[in-house]
Amino acid sequence: MKYVCELLQIKYPIIQGGMGNISNAQLTAAVSEAGGLGTIGCGTMTPEEVEKIILETKKRTDKNFAVNIAISVSPYTKELMDLVIQHKVPVVSLSAGNPAPFIPLLHEHGVKVIALVASVKHAQKAEAAGADILVAEGFEAAGINSSLELTTFTLIPQIVKHVKVPVLAAGGIGDGKGLAAALMLGASGVQMGTRLIATKEAPFHEKYKGRLIGAGDTETTIFGRSVGRVRRILKTPYAKILNEREQAGMTLEQYAEWTSEDKHIKGAVEGDMENGFINSGQIAGLIEDVPTVKELLERMIEEANEQLNRSAEELKEIAERTGK
């Protein structure tokens, strides 16, 4: 945990997940200013669009932040690599593809590399390729997920057991207890996405935030299994339409059209739940308020500390009673 904070030059071992085309400088900078690592997700945006967000983020904070490049999703992967090097972005996270071809180039320019993985095999390959940090993401997470569907609670300890580089846990984490649990599983910190949507600095539609606050434990649904593209979204009128379409049969091309970033923006930014979708992890059932990012991160650290101390005391008492 301490090593991760030192490596990324952050106060808390908490990083923001990439949010595709709804990424923005306002939330990215707020996370970094609050002591975490803010992240700009490139999604399918052009290098020019990403550059504008990078420059705006630099105006809002002098703290470290990251850029997430979804290798197989973006049509501009090479150009984005050149862009982050040009603007001296200190940290890059690589997802949705093989990071190996890009890590040497990024390291050559002093960029720290985070690789997103969803299995022990993926983790070992990313470590061998030179990734500085791994983010192991469980099936509870929002948006595009691995078709392997491994859960965070089972994934983290297995990956930690088989690699030497630090591992951050992602998927189903949004409060201090989740942070404490991740640390006890062997993680060195956490990555969050859904919980950061419901913050004051997040410039998303109030309908999005309201749906997260009002969500119960079964409010998310999976779309795309039939074409090998697993995506977790919140239940909305459009999500119902998507599930009905999938049950009737769909092609991969139709999946891409119906879950395009335009549809993502329509739901998340414009609040059109009839014609656009909103990503959400299963953590939605625990979201009850809309704090500032600073309040959220400070609360998480305090809650995690209290939880770990309480559990340690209880285990100590049990050991003393049993004479061990």
Side-chain angles (χ1 to χ4, degrees):
M1 181 166 53
K2 181 180 177 182
Y3 174 74
V4 165
C5 291
E6 292 175 350
L7 186 68
L8 300 178
Q9 296 181 35
I10 55 179
K11 183 177 181 182
Y12 304 129
I14 301 171
I15 73 174
Q16 176 188 359
M19 295 179 175
N21 290 40
I22 66 169
S23 287
N24 56 84
Q26 187 171 328
L27 181 57
T28 301
V31 174
S32 292
E33 282 291 303
L37 183 73
T39 300
I40 299 167
C42 297
T44 60
M45 288 188 283
T46 66
E48 292 74 21
E49 290 173 311
V50 175
E51 184 174 40
K52 286 178 65 176
I53 301 175
I54 289 174
L55 293 174
E56 179 62 26
T57 301
K58 285 185 173 183
K59 288 180 181 178
R60 290 173 175 266
T61 183
D62 60 359
K63 306 290 195 305
N64 270 8
F65 64 90
V67 167
N68 168 251
I69 301 174
I71 296 166
S72 64
V73 173
S74 174
Y76 309 104
T77 297
K78 183 183 182 303
E79 293 87 345
L80 291 171
M81 295 292 172
D82 294 337
L83 184 67
V84 297
I85 291 169
Q86 175 191 338
H87 287 285
K88 295 181 171 58
V89 175
V91 184
V92 168
S93 67
L94 301 175
S95 59
N98 179 15
F102 308 103
I103 293 176
L105 174 65
L106 293 170
H107 278 173
E108 183 182 331
H109 290 84
V111 181
K112 300 294 186 295
V113 179
I114 300 172
L116 273 68
V117 299
S119 73
V120 170
K121 182 180 179 180
H122 293 158
Q124 290 175 320
K125 285 188 173 182
E127 179 184 42
D132 299 292
I133 296 172
L134 303 178
V135 169
E137 186 171 75
F139 179 55
E140 300 93 326
I144 299 172
N145 274 304
S146 167
S147 58
L148 298 174
E149 300 192 11
L150 297 174
T151 64
T152 302
F153 210 82
T154 58
L155 181 65
I156 300 306
Q158 292 184 73
I159 287 183
V160 169
K161 181 179 178 181
H162 288 92
V163 300
K164 291 184 172 61
V165 295
V167 177
L168 305 182
I173 299 161
D175 59 13
K177 289 183 179 179
L179 171 58
L183 296 177
M184 290 302 93
L185 291 174
S188 298
V190 298
Q191 174 179 285
M192 299 193 305
T194 302
R195 186 60 187 92
L196 289 168
I197 296 291
T199 57
K200 285 187 167 57
E201 295 91 339
F204 306 119
H205 203 280
E206 290 305 311
K207 285 185 180 179
Y208 192 175
K209 297 182 183 183
R211 284 290 288 113
L212 289 175
I213 293 173
D217 58 348
T218 60
E219 291 293 309
T220 66
T221 184
I222 293 294
F223 176 67
R225 275 198 184 102
S226 64
V227 292
R229 296 288 189 274
V230 178
R231 180 185 285 272
R232 187 178 296 281
I233 57 179
L234 205 63
K235 291 179 180 177
T236 61
Y238 187 66
K240 184 175 184 293
I241 292 172
L242 289 178
N243 284 324
E244 289 172 350
R245 287 175 176 174
E246 182 168 19
Q247 289 170 14
M250 71 175 178
T251 64
L252 187 56
E253 290 72 24
Q254 287 173 321
Y255 169 89
E257 177 187 348
W258 297 337
T259 59
S260 68
E261 285 297 336
D262 288 341
K263 298 291 187 182
H264 188 192
I265 291 170
K266 192 169 286 292
V269 180
E270 298 176 16
D272 185 350
M273 303 302 169
E274 304 288 337
N275 299 291
F277 67 91
I278 47 177
N279 289 326
S280 173
Q282 290 182 316
I283 195 65
L286 284 175
I287 297 175
E288 297 178 341
D289 61 355
V290 182
T292 65
V293 175
K294 184 175 186 291
E295 289 168 344
L296 174 62
L297 266 55
E298 289 178 348
R299 185 168 71 193
M300 285 181 64
I301 295 299
E302 184 178 348
E303 288 176 350
N305 190 47
E306 290 176 356
Q307 185 65 41
L308 291 169
N309 287 335
R310 185 184 307 116
S311 296
E313 286 299 318
E314 291 176 356
L315 286 172
K316 182 179 179 181
E317 290 176 9
I318 291 173
E320 288 174 350
R321 285 202 304 270
T322 57
K324 295 182 181 180

